[in-house]
Structure formats: C-alpha cells, structure tokens
Amino acid sequence: MKYVILGASAAGINAAKTIRELDPNGEITIVSKDKAIYSRCMLHHVISQGRQPREINFAEENFFEKYNINWLAGQEVLGLNTEEKTVLLTGDLKISYDRLLIATGSSSFIPPIKNLAAAKQIFGLRNIEDAVAVNLAAENTGAAVVIGAGLIGMDAAYALADRGLEVTVIETAEHILPLQLDKTAAQKYEKLFRQNAVNFFFKETTVEIKLDQDNNVRGVVLQSGAFVHCGLVIVAAGVRSNIEFLKNTNVKIGRGIQVNSYQETSVPNIYAAGDVCESTETFTGQVSLTPIWPSAILQGRTAGSNMAAIPRQLEINFAFKNSMTFYGLHTISFGLTGQADSDSKELIYQDAGNYKKIIFKDGVIKGAILQGDISNSGLIGKLVQDKTKISHPEQIFNMTYANFFAQKENGEFCFACNDNCH
Amino acid sequence: MAVKQGRRILINKDLCQGCKNCQLACMAEHTGNKSVLLLDLENRANQARNFIEPGNDGKPVPILCRHCDDPACVTACMSGAMTKNPYTGEVSCDINKCAGCWMCVMSCPFGIIQPDRVNGTRAVKCDFCAGRHIPRCVEACPTGAITMEQR
C-alpha cells in the first residue's frame, strides 16, 4: 500500500504516525513545502528570540527514521490527477498513491491594500521562513505595524515588542481578540500591551502602505487618514485553506476541502485533515473550518486510521476553545464569548487578579472566559463540549471534577452522565 | 500500537478522609530534600500535583492524574512537551520543551494540569514520582484510598 501525505504539520505528522502504527509494511511518503518540522503556534517564540527555529520542533526526535517514512521536503504540490492517482510536485516530479491525505494547511490572507504586493517588508506569520524574515527586517527598524488583533497578530505584537520595537496594532473590531474574548477580558490585555510600547487603533482598517522609492516600507495609512510610521508590517488578517492545486479536480470544496466524519473527501481514497478541510463542528453543529491544533491532531489520526483500513470516526470536533498568555496573564475561553443574547444568563466573578464569565442558555454553558486563575478550566470546556445540564449554575465557579467524579473499570476518570462507567 | 499501561494509581474515594497527606507528600517529593518536615508551605513554588476536593455530598474526593489511555493533554500539546510513554503508559511533560501555552490546561477535563505558580511559564503535572517505584501519594495515604496497581 502506497500512502502519500501532503503536509508535514500537526495533521500530516500525526496521520503518518498512526498509519505506521497500524500498517508496519506500507510505503509512506510525506511531501511538504516545509523543510523542517515545526509548530506554527510557536513561531512568535522565534521572533522574540526565546527559541531557535530547531527548538519549536513538535515531533519526536528522528521522526522519519523511527517511523520509516520517506520525506520529500521543500516540495510544493502543483496538481492532482484523481484518475491516474498521482500528484504533481515541483520540478515535474510525479508520484503515485493508493491513499492520499491532503493536509496542506492554510496561508495568510492578504487583504486588498494599496502597495501591499510591492512592499518589501510585509510578512504573514505562518511559516518558519516568515519568522526568519521578520527577524531580519526587525533589525533594521524601530517600529512595526500588525494588521489584525487575532491570536496570530497578538502573538506577533508581543514578540516584536519583546525585542524592543514600538508596535502598532490595527484592528477592525473594537477590541483585541474579538473571537476569543469579550471587551472586559480584552481590555485587561490591552492595558498590559500599552505598558509595553504597543499601541492600538480599533474600528480601523489599513488602506495603503507608504513606500520609499525602493519599495521599503515607511508606514501605513489608515481609513481615518491617520499615518503610522513603521519599517515592517505583519499581516494577520485571517487565513485561507491551501487548496489552489485542487482546481480542475472533482474534490468537493467549500471554504476548505469538504470531509465526512471519517475525514474522507468526495473522491475515493483521498482524505483531508487539519486547517485545509471543513467539517461538522461539535459546538455549533455547523460545517466550518476548525483551525486549531487539537482538531488537526485528531483529524490527522482519524484520517490515518481510515487510510490504514481501520475504520475510525471523529467523534468530537470541538473547535471553539482557545488558550493564551501575555505578560503573565493567562486566559482560556470556550464557545461564544461576546455579548450574551436576551435569553442567556451571564454569571461573572471578578477580583483583583481574575475575571471569569460563564454564559448559560437553557441550562447548559454556551460560553466561558476564564482569565487569571485558569485551573479547572478544562472541566468547563468538557461541560461546554458535552452540553452538560448544570443543575446549580450559581456554584459554577466552585465546581471541580469532584462534583462529577466517576471511574471506569480500568481506573480512568470519566463523566457519570456521558461515558461508559461503573 | 496499543499502549501498555504499566502502573496506575487507583482511587477508592469512599476510604478518603481528606487528610491531604497525599498532597503534602507530593509537594515534598518535588522539593530538593523531599522532606515533609522541612516543607515550606508558604513557598508558592511548592505546588501539589494532586488534589482533594469536596464532592456533591461534601465528602473528600482524591483527584489524581490518570495518565489516561488517550490523554487529551497530549493531543492538545503543540510544543511536543507532553508525551505518553508507549512502554510504561506514563504521561509526562518535558519542561524544557513546554512553552506555557496552556493547551493542556484547557484540555484536561479533570482539571489536573496547572501553570506553575511562580513564573506561570510551565505546566505542572503528576510525573509518577519519576524514578520512584511507589509514588509518594500512594505511600503516604493512611486509609487505602490511594493505591497502586501494577500490570
């Protein structure tokens, strides 16, 4: 059996490992644009210079030798022929497969801003090459602009400020991390960022990059007419699935490659996992992209198992969860975190170091923000994921797993109401 | 590859009296001298990896890392720090790799993993008293609520 995996990040690596565990003799090839294995979530550590590029490798040592996997590194996928069962790579190299996994991830979305394409010091933050290029550019300027205050944007802002640059963040919403936090939680962070030479423009968009005659970045112009001086710009305005090479194939695509709960695409023997695919998400029940690390891992393992002919369904595909930490302040959030609607009920706990908000609707938790002390937040996440009815909502901030304690035969913990236990 | 679960700490909550000897033993084991007698309870660096919390009936419930067969903390870890040993079944966190992103804290439904209290940069969890044959919590439990099973 010839397995070909496109992509060597969370989904691809975990699929390969799963296949090898189930099929000791199959021929496994990973094709990746990446020339190294690294955690995309940790690229900002390379910018802040807290870690060397090799220190953000998430895989086991000697991964490819250990699992007997061929690795075609630095290879881009240019096309797919589903009749021939071949993929076309850089340099007209063609390889054939019996089972194919597409785990090509996503790329930074580049918004239509004047001069963006021509400018030299414009970077996304998706690849190790981006982080290395940002580092070089950061040596030649004292100021940076970050477009977009999502997690990637704020990680970038933090890292650049950490290495001494003055940073300005431009965000269309009215506070940072609009998908992960409410205004109160966001403002706690904004205060800390401001104390560290990071400035913000909210409800603003960037309309033009100002360049010198050699296309070096000199600043950005905002919708309001404001000008922000800078020598480099990071674009963190969302991502798009890497699916261009599927043009002219019959692989069904929405915002990403459509897959079922076995990670199967519309074409037999072709699977997809991770940021590149869209699937039914557990919290909303809707088909959407699920661009978080744990989803990529689980989808990769599920795909790998099915590719090796051991049927496995992705049972939980919960992507509405986030964790973050800036300046020593930790936050974990689940579900819907913004304004609760009229038939929801909000419970808030606040003291000097903590802000905790839980949103209830119809007796279940629809959203949670836990900022400061994040211990036991995993329990809240489990209750959100399982849509567990909470009989005493007023006690939610004091609840621990002791309130749900149950054990399986083998001594593992479980949740009495949901799992098979005794 | 089925993971072997070598040792597992078993809990009989009905026997727990809530004495918290297991927590003291856990804290002591993770200090230099490993002594309960010399343990400084005011030092925030001394952080237990196990918990005794009241259940719905108000009685104590020991909550200890299960080193789960399919650990959510390992699935969520984006640095490669959290791994399950395929031979012993133990789930451990390599603090040199840990980036303090709290994906594990977010993912453990039992609330067992926590940020370190001093710097808030590394995950703290049960390490099965690395190198010790019998974990300190098991040894310290006077009632038989916490026992170890060897498979």
Side-chain angles (χ1 to χ4, degrees), chain A residues 82 102 246 249-253 257-260 263-272:
Chain A
T82 56
I102 304 171
L246 296 173
T249 71
N250 47 355
V251 176
K252 267 200 193 147
I253 286 165
I257 300 169
Q258 296 178 350
V259 294
N260 63 15
Q263 302 302 130
E264 294 168 327
T265 68
S266 58
V267 176
N269 298 312
I270 301 183
Y271 300 75

Side-chain angles (χ1 to χ4, degrees), chain A residues 345 358-367 383-384 386-390:
Chain A
K345 189 181 161 205
I358 311 272
I359 300 170
F360 288 94
K361 189 173 181 175
D362 304 327
V364 303
I365 305 174
K366 292 303 279 184
L383 301 175
V384 175
D386 290 353
K387 303 176 171 70
T388 306
K389 286 269 180 198
I390 308 296

